[in-house]
Amino acid sequence: VIIQKGGFKMSATGGAGTEFTMIEIRNITVTGSSTSAGALQFTYVDYSIIENCRINNSGAGGSIRFINSEFNIVRSCYLEGAYGFYLESNSRYNQIINNYYYKASGGSRAIRLVDSGSKHNVISGNYISGWPGAIDINTTGYNVVSNNILVNQTGGAGGPGAIALENTSSNNQIVGN
């Protein structure tokens, strides 16, 4: 499957019984998404697997963005472009594992966790190269960041450097990076 110029957005209303569950997205390529939602955006989407995907030149909304989504797995994906991966607004218990992030231009962070409700996520085994900031944990806690390879983090351009804990972030485990 190839998605070009526009990306993919999936959302539910967020009440009991309305969430999408058990969605599997494998072996897709997304090129040239310029929307504010990003290349792949999921709102109230739980228990999904995104695997072996390639995303090139994502828009300001990020390559992959989860909003109010839980228990999702993103693994073995290749993301190249201006913006990376976002977990925000109560996105919990997600796994971001064994992905490759290469920054081509613009943007500031490869992986960003934002919001006090975005907890208990695992960011592990990722290769991140050339970003002003590799991993940004902002106003959240109880996440695990482990065994990531961080190469050529430039700082500046709005990026916090390799790994940043911002605002009231606490109780995060950061080990082996």
Side-chain angles (χ1 to χ4, degrees):
V1 174
I2 297 175
I3 301 171
Q4 294 184 348
K5 295 197 190 258
F8 174 82
K9 184 176 179 181
M10 178 173 288
S11 63
T13 59
T18 61
E19 290 88 358
F20 290 103
T21 59
M22 298 296 290
I23 294 170
E24 294 185 18
I25 297 176
R26 292 192 165 102
N27 304 314
I28 67 165
T29 298
V30 180
T31 302
S33 172
S34 61
T35 68
S36 62
L40 299 174
Q41 178 176 306
F42 302 91
T43 304
Y44 293 105
V45 176
D46 302 329
Y47 300 99
S48 298
I49 297 173
I50 300 172
E51 183 175 45
N52 296 325
C53 297
R54 181 178 181 97
I55 300 174
N56 299 316
N57 303 316
S58 63
S63 294
I64 300 174
R65 181 181 211 130
F66 282 105
I67 301 169
N68 289 303
S69 297
E70 299 178 338
F71 300 102
N72 298 291
I73 299 171
V74 178
R75 65 179 170 226
S76 303
C77 292
Y78 178 90
L79 297 89
E80 179 177 352
Y83 295 88
F85 184 88
Y86 298 131
L87 285 169
E88 58 188 277
S89 302
N90 298 310
S91 291
R92 300 179 291 244
Y93 302 102
N94 298 290
Q95 297 179 38
I96 312 306
I97 52 177
N98 300 325
N99 299 290
Y100 179 89
Y101 300 83
Y102 176 74
K103 182 193 146 310
S105 63
S108 61
R109 295 161 176 91
I111 300 174
R112 189 158 198 225
L113 287 75
V114 182
D115 182 340
S116 60
S118 294
K119 299 178 179 180
H120 305 288
N121 296 292
V122 174
I123 311 297
S124 184
N126 299 288
Y127 181 91
I128 302 170
S129 177
W131 290 76
I135 300 171
D136 181 19
I137 300 172
N138 191 329
T139 320
T140 184
Y142 303 99
N143 297 290
V144 175
V145 178
S146 66
N147 302 316
N148 296 288
I149 298 171
L150 313 175
V151 179
N152 297 325
Q153 307 319 305
T154 61
I163 298 175
L165 296 170
E166 298 186 73
N167 298 318
T168 57
S169 296
S170 62
N171 300 306
N172 292 287
Q173 184 180 34
I174 300 173
V175 63
N177 296 288

